[in-house]
Amino acid sequence: MKIGFIGLGNMGAPMAANLAKAGHSVTGFDVAGTTAKGVAQAPDIAGAARGMDVVITMLPNGAILRDVADAIIPQMRAGATLIDCSTVDVESARAVAEQAHAAGLLAVDAPVSGGIGGAAGGTLTFMAGGSANGFAAAEPLFEIMGQKAVHCGDAGAGQAAKICNNMILGATMIATCEAFALADKLGLDRQKMFDVASTSSGYSWSMNAYCPAPGVGPTSPADNDYLPGFAAELMLKDLGLSQQAAEAVDADTPMGARALELYRAFVEDEDGRGRDFSAMLPRFETRGRG
Ligand code: NAD
């Protein structure tokens, strides 16, 4: 396939390289001039869209996605597929899909989980929204870049799944960290706390697979001085998107709102920027109730 890839950053570059490695003809474009292994560089954004069977975008946010969509959709040939893998607001995802459909394109919103390691290793999970035809066109590429793809529903459903999942993740990570900090102050050994909670109703991905306490549970960023992993500022972004969506549809999400406040303070006013999102544990450790 002839694939255009727009946004060759931390995630996009290894994803594009994996498509090229699998034998596709990939042409990339990034405003920062970044490149990826095996990927031809387009001279301008139109060059990564014109004549392509598929164009994939992997961009920072919804406003940039909308600008890029304005630039590329008129260049794409009817019947081609636009796949956006960025994490953006549901409204932007739906607006771009509508614009693509009006131009005779297939459109899929397909945000990912799995981070930079998953992008490099081709083990991402894709959460996709769009028509059955759009998903069918995108699926062989998801298989190269990832290990699992779920068709969640119509346009925007992929983004909806992503932000709901990450709202659970943000809240459970905070709950897990504050429980460890309380256990410390109660004199409870962290390993014992893990042994109980990970096999009892305190079980969660945050506790069991990504334990925020160093030296306890499986190896996680806590064992690497809280280097990300999944950076606190990316969690802050996703919690912001989930609150934006909740406001738009009048959903009551008090835990998500509180998680957003805590990660905002952690990233903007404390030392959370550039640290893994599980570094909430040392944050709680050093605090009292005041
Ligand atoms: P990044 O900032 O490293 O990459 C984004 C790239 O887009 C940059 O290279 C930037 O120059 C480029 N870009 C910006 N505007 C552009 C334009 N108008 N035209 C062309 N290129 C443009 O970010 P990333 O970590 O690769 O993340 C990309 C997306 O994936 C984000 O939406 C993020 O939320 C999501 N995501 C990231 C992770 C992660 O662990 N990094 C995990 C899951 C999802």
Side-chain angles (χ1 to χ4, degrees):
M1 268 193 213
K2 286 177 72 178
I3 301 172
F5 206 114
I6 297 170
L8 300 168
N10 290 320
M11 297 289 290
M15 290 165 71
N18 281 336
L19 292 171
K21 199 168 90 182
H24 291 292
S25 157
V26 187
T27 304
F29 177 78
D30 192 299
V31 277
T34 49
T35 55
K37 196 161 175 235
V39 173
Q41 212 172 344
D44 53 25
I45 197 161
R50 210 176 296 126
M52 299 297 165
D53 302 310
V54 173
V55 176
I56 301 176
T57 49
M58 193 51 168
L59 298 162
N61 59 49
I64 293 176
L65 171 66
R66 286 178 192 241
D67 284 349
V68 166
D70 286 342
I72 62 175
I73 287 174
Q75 304 292 334
M76 290 175 67
R77 63 162 181 77
T81 307
L82 175 59
I83 306 173
D84 176 46
C85 294
S86 332
T87 303
V88 303
D89 55 290
V90 176
E91 235 172 283
S92 292
R94 290 192 173 142
V96 166
E98 219 166 281
Q99 195 180 345
H101 292 150
L105 307 176
L106 296 170
V108 183
D109 56 287
V112 302
S113 79
I116 297 166
T123 57
L124 294 168
T125 295
F126 289 85
M127 295 147 249
S131 65
N133 286 349
F135 184 74
E139 205 175 13
L141 305 181
F142 294 155
E143 278 168 16
I144 295 167
M145 297 183 284
Q147 61 184 1
K148 190 175 166 68
V150 180
H151 187 195
C152 300
D154 292 337
Q159 298 294 348
K162 165 92 186 173
I163 59 175
C164 290
N165 180 74
N166 281 17
M167 189 171 80
I168 297 172
L169 177 61
T172 57
M173 180 54 81
I174 289 169
T176 304
C177 291
E178 70 180 19
F180 266 114
L182 171 61
D184 287 347
K185 290 193 176 175
L186 294 173
L188 179 59
D189 179 71
R190 282 186 170 178
Q191 184 63 50
K192 302 291 179 204
M193 163 75 180
F194 176 81
D195 291 347
V196 172
S198 67
T199 55
S200 303
S201 40
Y203 164 103
S204 71
W205 187 85
S206 297
M207 174 62 80
N208 289 51
Y210 206 93
C211 183
V216 175
T219 302
S220 70
D223 300 302
N224 191 26
D225 211 14
Y226 294 101
L227 290 174
F230 185 48
E233 55 269 31
L234 288 178
M235 175 51 81
L236 175 60
K237 172 189 171 179
D238 292 358
L239 288 169
L241 292 175
S242 56
Q243 287 310 296
Q244 187 182 336
E247 273 163 33
V249 297
D250 190 27
D252 188 22
T253 52
M255 301 300 288
R258 185 72 183 117
L260 173 62
E261 269 172 41
L262 284 163
Y263 275 105
R264 181 176 289 141
F266 188 48
V267 168
E268 292 176 2
D269 308 331
E270 301 165 10
D271 66 345
R273 188 175 295 278
R275 304 189 82 195
D276 189 73
F277 84 119
S278 62
M280 272 284 165
L281 175 52
R283 174 190 185 275
F284 281 119
E285 260 169 33
T286 56
R287 302 167 76 90
R289 291 182 74 76

